[in-house]
Amino acid sequence: MIDLRSDTITKPTQEMREAMAQAIVGDDVYGEDPTVNELEKTAAELVGKESALFVASGTMGNQVAILSHTERGDEVIVDTAAHIAKYEVGAPAMFAGVQLRLVDDLLLGNTIDKIKKAYREENIHFPVTRLVCLENTFNSGGGTIMPAEKMREAYQLAKDLNLKLHLDGARIFNAAVACQCDVKEFTKYCDSVMFCLSKGLGAPVGSILAGDKEFIKKARKYRKAMGGGMRQAGILAAAGLIALKSIDRLAEDHSNARLLAEGLSQIKGIKVDLERVQTNMVYVEVDNAAAFVAELEKNGVKANAIAANAVRFVTSREVTREDVEKVIQIASRIAGNK
Ligand SMILES: *Cc1c(COP(=O)(O)O)cnc(C)c1O
């Protein structure tokens, strides 16, 4: 099977498994796991924040961030298609008790303008606008990159309006690698950032939430409340440390995605917006996504139908260049048979 459903399917490498087996561990709830401590320190430095917290998943990182930035009843500005709004089980309502202010095209449109319009002045009828969440790269946008300059403007505006800015940076390293810049060029424009170790970076489990000391202190307590006090988590953090050494290889996923996108765009009946193929994702438009995906699967290729006429392919270290060439051939055959 060639699995292009997601970069979450990546399995730990031999090097990771060995590091996991040998990890020095302790009780992380007591702050005594040296490997977790090392990962948190390394991660904080990497994204240019004072402090970091190892969390079980990206969803937990985002939710702990929302809990730490807000009070019950506050309003959080977020793109209608953001992961936080679409794919986190309504958790902001469940845990932080906040109201999401869903904004269409917050991320791909004029972000500054959209934030200004969504922001609410003090009024007895209104919730307090407290937080803006951005997402980079933007998953539902096709793995698109929000340029650092756009983030800078949004962060400046957030400060002017006394709002906090959280970055869902599940794939922020994909953005940095694609731009050939330091990840801090993006992360310096937010109060907190979450990124995933378990996607393209290949760790089996875990994400990082980073921010200033006071924020992470709060987040640590909320993580505990959510059941995220993971004790000898150094076993997992050991793989995370290796994952952070393999950031550069994301470039390979990007060139594979580009190859796939260009190949698929040549096929009749498949539409690809090549401009949106900026990292490791390829979204394509077909007449019947479910039928197309079923046909691919019969031919040994897995992809996700994410709407009635949209299919998502994601490249990762589990997929080689030869695999991508095969997928183009198979897709071309299937389309030709219709
Ligand atoms: C995957 C993802 C998350 C959540 O990560 P999980 O570890 O699956 O909970 C958050 N945001 C974005 C943009 C993602 O793609």
Side-chain angles (χ1 to χ4, degrees), residues 37-66:
N37 293 343
E38 188 189 340
L39 174 64
E40 290 178 348
K41 186 163 172 280
T42 307
E45 279 167 13
L46 203 56
V47 294
K49 298 292 176 201
E50 274 177 10
S51 204
L53 182 70
F54 182 49
V55 289
S57 67
T59 300
M60 183 185 270
N62 282 335
Q63 296 310 318
V64 161
I66 293 169

Side-chain angles (χ1 to χ4, degrees), residues 3-181:
D3 195 343
L4 287 153
R5 286 172 302 168
S6 176
D7 47 9
T8 55
I9 57 109
T10 47
K11 292 180 181 143
T13 60
Q14 191 58 32
E15 189 191 6
M16 283 177 189
R17 288 174 184 274
E18 278 162 24
M20 291 171 82
Q22 274 143 35
I24 302 165
V25 297
D27 189 332
D28 179 52
V29 176
Y30 289 131
E32 290 173 4
D33 189 302
T35 311
V36 171
N37 293 343
E38 188 189 340
L39 174 64
E40 290 178 348
K41 186 163 172 280
T42 307
E45 279 167 13
L46 203 56
V47 294
K49 298 292 176 201
E50 274 177 10
S51 204
L53 182 70
F54 182 49
V55 289
S57 67
T59 300
M60 183 185 270
N62 282 335
Q63 296 310 318
V64 161
I66 293 169
L67 273 159
S68 305
H69 283 306
T70 62
E71 306 286 337
R72 289 182 75 79
D74 283 349
E75 198 159 58
V76 176
I77 297 173
V78 63
D79 194 295
T80 311
H83 194 280
I84 287 173
K86 254 173 109 177
Y87 298 127
E88 300 194 9
V89 210
M94 253 187 233
F95 303 123
V98 293
Q99 170 161 299
L100 294 184
R101 180 70 178 261
L102 301 177
V103 178
D104 290 344
D105 284 324
L106 172 70
L107 298 167
L108 292 174
N110 185 338
T111 306
I112 305 300
D113 216 41
K114 303 254 173 188
I115 295 172
K116 277 186 195 155
K117 283 191 183 130
Y119 174 77
R120 306 214 220 191
E121 302 281 351
E122 169 52 32
N123 180 308
I124 194 167
H125 302 91
F126 294 166
V128 173
T129 309
R130 186 83 64 181
L131 176 67
V132 180
C133 295
L134 299 182
E135 185 176 312
N136 203 1
T137 63
F138 176 26
N139 187 337
S140 293
T144 44
I145 299 164
M146 177 178 285
E149 177 55 23
K150 201 168 170 182
M151 282 196 64
R152 188 189 66 74
E153 288 171 5
Y155 191 41
Q156 188 54 54
L157 176 63
K159 277 188 181 163
D160 293 345
L161 297 174
N162 203 23
L163 305 176
K164 295 290 181 191
L165 196 155
H166 171 69
L167 174 62
D168 177 348
R171 298 185 182 81
I172 192 63
F173 288 104
N174 291 84
V177 167
C179 298
Q180 297 183 289
C181 70

Side-chain angles (χ1 to χ4, degrees), residues 312-323:
R312 189 187 75 168
F313 298 86
V314 184
T315 54
S316 70
R317 75 197 319 160
E318 303 288 338
V319 179
T320 64
R321 199 163 180 84
E322 291 69 44
D323 289 338

Side-chain angles (χ1 to χ4, degrees), residues 229-249:
M230 295 188 288
R231 307 297 178 188
Q232 286 74 35
I235 296 273
L236 302 172
L241 279 162
I242 310 267
L244 290 180
K245 288 188 203 156
S246 66
I247 291 167
D248 291 346
R249 66 148 306 285

